[in-house]
Amino acid sequence: EVQLVESGGGLVQPGGSLRLSCAASRFSISSYWMTWVRQAPGKGLEWVANIKEDGSQKFYVDSVKGRFTISRDNAKNSLYLQMNTLRADDTAVYFCAKSHLIGSNGDLQHWGQGTLVTVSS
Amino acid sequence: DIVMTQSPLSLSVTPGEAASISCRSSQSLLHSNGNNYLDWYVQKPGQSPQLLIYMASNRASGVPDRFSGSGSGTDFTLKISKVEPEDIGFYYCMQVLEISFTFGPGTKVDIK
């Protein structure tokens, strides 16, 4: 069965950086758009960023543009999110997700368990 | 950005009864290819979200057939024909037509 495992979360001070990773198994990410979604404590879901199969297109929610960078290493079957200049409102559980259909950037059928990022002094 | 709204925001249902959640978008989600770019997700307590419906009316694999999606343009509906206790959770619609993709605020479904 498809598996996505996020890592790299933790406590960081405002202005700091973190790099999240998402390791995929039992499928090749090279065929799919990949996405990061976050959920602040007690809040709803927020789409953060996604990246095309070959990494040639990347898109971000406005609130993270210029601070976060999504990337992928298809050879390592992994997705990443480099988060810089972190703010308190970036505090959230970050999920990586895989699209169901090849060529689609929606229909997020498979999700990881999430990794918690806490931005606080 | 496309703004998504849902109603109701909370729903209490008796097992075996039907339930319906409405989702509206501030712009049409109907693409020129004829597809509506609207997904439905459920997040059960303590779990990651799960895809229920994609492109407005396509049930994801493994999703029970008591779940159905309908609608087009700006108005969409998720129906649960006979609610079961395991269906409790937050239900979210999400538009995937235009970047930034946006979720609705979520509808909390619980059991009476």
Side-chain angles (χ1 to χ4, degrees):
Chain A
E1 181 163 341
V2 166
Q3 193 171 22
L4 296 167
V5 179
E6 302 93 337
S7 60
L11 175 63
V12 61
Q13 291 188 339
S17 298
L18 275 180
R19 188 193 195 209
L20 305 184
S21 299
C22 173
S25 56
R26 302 187 183 96
F27 78 100
S28 173
I29 71 165
S30 63
S31 298
Y32 298 92
W33 281 80
M34 297 294 293
T35 299
W36 287 99
V37 173
R38 68 184 178 183
Q39 185 170 36
K43 302 297 185 182
L45 301 172
E46 181 181 36
W47 177 89
V48 174
N50 65 7
I51 184 169
K52 193 175 165 62
E53 296 93 335
D54 61 0
S56 61
Q57 294 183 46
K58 304 175 185 182
F59 299 100
Y60 302 90
V61 67
D62 284 350
S63 60
V64 309
K65 281 180 185 174
R67 301 188 300 122
F68 289 12
T69 302
I70 189 172
S71 63
R72 62 195 296 158
D73 186 332
N74 289 344
K76 293 185 177 179
N77 222 27
S78 293
L79 175 72
Y80 306 101
L81 187 67
Q82 176 67 44
M83 305 186 296
N84 298 330
T85 320
L86 282 160
R87 311 185 307 215
D89 62 358
D90 294 318
T91 294
V93 173
Y94 286 73
F95 298 98
C96 69
K98 163 196 169 290
S99 294
H100 165 56
L101 298 171
I102 291 176
S104 169
N105 54 10
D107 50 87
L108 306 177
Q109 179 154 27
H110 296 99
W111 296 64
Q113 84 289 349
T115 187
L116 176 62
V117 172
T118 303
V119 184
S120 175
S121 54
Chain B
D1 289 0
I2 298 176
V3 177
M4 306 299 293
T5 57
Q6 290 180 228
S7 63
L9 297 182
S10 183
L11 190 56
S12 190
V13 188
T14 300
E17 290 189 346
S20 181
I21 300 171
S22 172
C23 173
R24 288 183 173 165
S25 56
S26 60
Q27 300 172 216
S28 176
L29 302 183
L30 178 61
H31 192 275
S32 57
N33 64 13
N35 293 321
N36 284 280
Y37 284 83
L38 185 284
D39 297 339
W40 286 98
Y41 298 85
V42 62
Q43 188 175 29
K44 298 180 181 180
Q47 297 185 18
S48 301
Q50 305 169 220
L51 177 67
L52 290 172
I53 303 288
Y54 62 96
M55 290 189 192
S57 60
N58 296 276
R59 199 178 303 115
S61 61
V63 174
D65 60 8
R66 65 179 181 274
F67 291 92
S68 63
S70 63
S72 183
T74 61
D75 291 334
F76 301 89
T77 302
L78 176 71
K79 292 182 180 175
I80 311 174
S81 60
K82 293 180 182 178
V83 172
E84 297 191 3
E86 68 200 48
D87 297 334
I88 62 167
F90 281 87
Y91 288 74
Y92 297 92
C93 59
M94 174 185 175
Q95 69 82 15
V96 292
L97 179 68
E98 285 188 3
I99 298 290
S100 304
F101 294 165
T102 41
F103 287 91
T107 294
K108 182 180 181 181
V109 173
D110 62 23
I111 301 297
K112 281 184 183 174

